[in-house]
Amino acid sequence: MLIVLAKAKLGAGALEAGRAAFTAMIEASRAEEGCIEYAYSVDVLDPATLNIVEKWVDEAALTFHFQTPHMAAFQKALGSLDVTVVEALKFQADDGAPLL
């Protein structure tokens, strides 16, 4: 399994202006074969920070994700928004184990 953790900084009004694009990207990504989880969340203590969590079955699924039409549309939409990705990390992981 691959886990992608990313962080973006949102300029004033970017969350609301980009909400339709964010929603479309999340819905389309979650429907992809090989997607285990795909989510965005706003940091409670810093509403200008957007956290991105993705889980993919393997590298091939992530590679496919970057080639999809919805990714191209999302990248185009981001061009008109004040959103800056400040960190993006990819981790190879096993299926994990319960903490409790």
Side-chain angles (χ1 to χ4, degrees):
M1 171 174 44
L2 290 178
I3 299 173
V4 175
L5 301 177
K7 185 178 294 190
K9 286 297 185 178
L10 303 171
L15 182 61
E16 286 309 314
R19 189 170 297 278
F22 296 143
T23 299
M25 183 62 174
I26 292 166
E27 289 174 344
S29 297
R30 287 180 178 174
E32 287 179 47
E33 185 174 330
C35 180
I36 299 167
E37 181 178 347
Y38 197 95
Y40 299 163
S41 63
V42 175
D43 188 312
V44 171
L45 299 179
D46 180 6
T49 296
L50 186 69
N51 295 300
I52 299 107
V53 176
E54 304 175 23
K55 293 181 186 175
W56 301 94
V57 295
D58 56 22
E59 187 74 40
L62 181 59
T63 298
F64 175 82
H65 170 67
F66 284 118
Q67 299 170 356
T68 59
H70 57 270
M71 175 59 87
F74 185 64
Q75 292 295 328
K76 184 176 179 181
L78 284 181
S80 65
L81 299 172
D82 185 6
V83 176
T84 303
V85 175
V86 295
E87 180 178 65
L89 301 169
K90 176 177 70 172
F91 302 91
Q92 183 73 44
D94 61 18
D95 290 336
L99 286 175
L100 304 174

